[in-house]
Amino acid sequence: MAYPKDLLAPGETVVYEFGSHWFALIKESLITIAYVVLLILLVPDGANGWAFTIITLVWLWITVGGFMEWRTRENVITSERLVVRAGIMRKAGYDIPLEVITDVGFRQNLIERAVGVGDMVIQTSGTTGQNRITKIPEPEKVKSMLVEARRNRTNTMSAGRASADAVASPGKSNAEQLEILGKLFDEGKLTQVEYDTEKRKLLG
C-alpha cells in the first residue's frame, strides 16, 4: 500500500517503503499448528464444547491479531523522516526526523540471514535514544537506503542554512527575505525551528 501523498510535507518525497517479513508470523504459525493438533486429539474424544470454544477463541485472538498487525505495519523512508505505523483499530506509530539519526545498524542470526529477515537498530540524538524495527526484509538494503536518505537530508539542510544566511543580505526588504525563507522551508531545506528562528530575527 502506497503511503498517502496528503500525509507528506511540502517538498517531501517517498524514498522507500517496506513492511514486515513473513517470518514475523512464525509465532502465529506455530500456534496454528498446535491448535490443529489439539483439534485432532480432542474432537474424536468428544471434548467438552466449552473447552473447544475457549481454545478456538484464544487461537483467533492471537493469530488474527498478529496477522492484522503484520499486515498493517507500514515503514516509510521519506526525504525528511522515517515513518513507522501499524494497527487498524488502535493505530500507533512514530516519526524520526532524518537529521537526528546518528547511527543505523542491523542484526541477524543465522536463520534470519538464511531467509532474508532481520532487525534494524536506529540511534538518535533525541530523547528516544534507540529505536528498533523488527523482522524486516533485507535489513542491510534498508539500512543502506536510510543512511543515504539521511546523507541527502543533511546536505540539503546544510545548503538551506547557507541560503538562509544569504537571505539577510543588504538590499532586500523584510517581505522579500520572508518570502525566500518560506520557499526554503517549503522545499524542506529548513526545519520548523530554523524557519521560526530566522523569521523572528527578521521581524525583530
Side-chain angles (χ1 to χ4, degrees), residues 8-200:
L8 297 172
E12 184 180 17
T13 58
V14 172
V15 175
Y16 188 62
E17 299 182 58
F18 59 101
S20 292
H21 194 276
W22 59 262
F23 197 74
L25 293 173
I26 191 69
K27 179 185 73 175
E28 288 75 14
S29 301
L30 292 174
I31 290 174
T32 298
I33 293 173
Y35 172 72
V36 172
V37 170
L38 280 174
L39 288 185
I40 294 173
L41 295 176
L42 294 178
V43 173
D45 295 333
N48 184 284
W50 281 108
F52 173 78
T53 300
I54 291 172
I55 291 172
T56 300
L57 289 175
V58 170
W59 170 72
L60 286 172
W61 179 67
I62 295 175
T63 56
V64 174
F67 175 79
M68 292 307 297
E69 181 179 355
W70 171 80
R71 185 69 180 83
T72 58
R73 179 163 290 279
E74 185 176 39
N75 308 301
V76 185
I77 301 172
T78 78
S79 55
E80 298 183 11
R81 58 197 164 121
L82 171 65
V83 181
V84 178
R85 298 283 187 274
I88 295 180
M89 300 298 292
R90 293 183 299 175
K91 200 170 184 69
Y94 56 88
D95 295 359
I96 303 177
L98 298 182
E99 61 269 18
V100 305
I101 295 176
T102 57
D103 188 44
V104 183
F106 70 96
R107 295 177 183 174
Q108 292 175 295
N109 59 35
L110 186 62
I111 296 175
E112 290 173 335
R113 194 159 62 246
V115 297
V117 63
D119 299 349
M120 185 166 65
V121 182
I122 304 161
Q123 298 280 355
T124 68
S125 58
T127 56
T128 54
Q130 186 181 93
N131 296 271
R132 181 190 294 262
I133 306 179
T134 60
K135 300 294 184 291
I136 63 173
E138 302 181 286
E140 189 170 7
K141 173 186 174 181
V142 176
K143 174 209 164 184
S144 297
M145 299 198 72
L146 180 57
V147 169
E148 180 65 21
R150 178 188 175 278
R151 183 182 299 114
N152 292 338
R153 176 62 172 164
T154 300
N155 292 339
T156 299
M157 293 185 69
S158 296
R161 293 188 189 102
S163 300
D165 292 338
V167 167
S169 61
K172 290 189 177 71
S173 67
N174 281 358
E176 290 174 323
Q177 294 179 61
L178 285 172
E179 184 180 355
I180 295 173
L181 279 177
K183 289 180 180 178
L184 291 173
F185 176 69
D186 290 341
E187 292 170 0
K189 294 180 179 179
L190 294 176
T191 65
Q192 184 69 57
V193 173
E194 290 171 332
Y195 172 74
D196 291 341
T197 300
E198 295 299 326
K199 184 178 179 180
R200 280 195 297 270

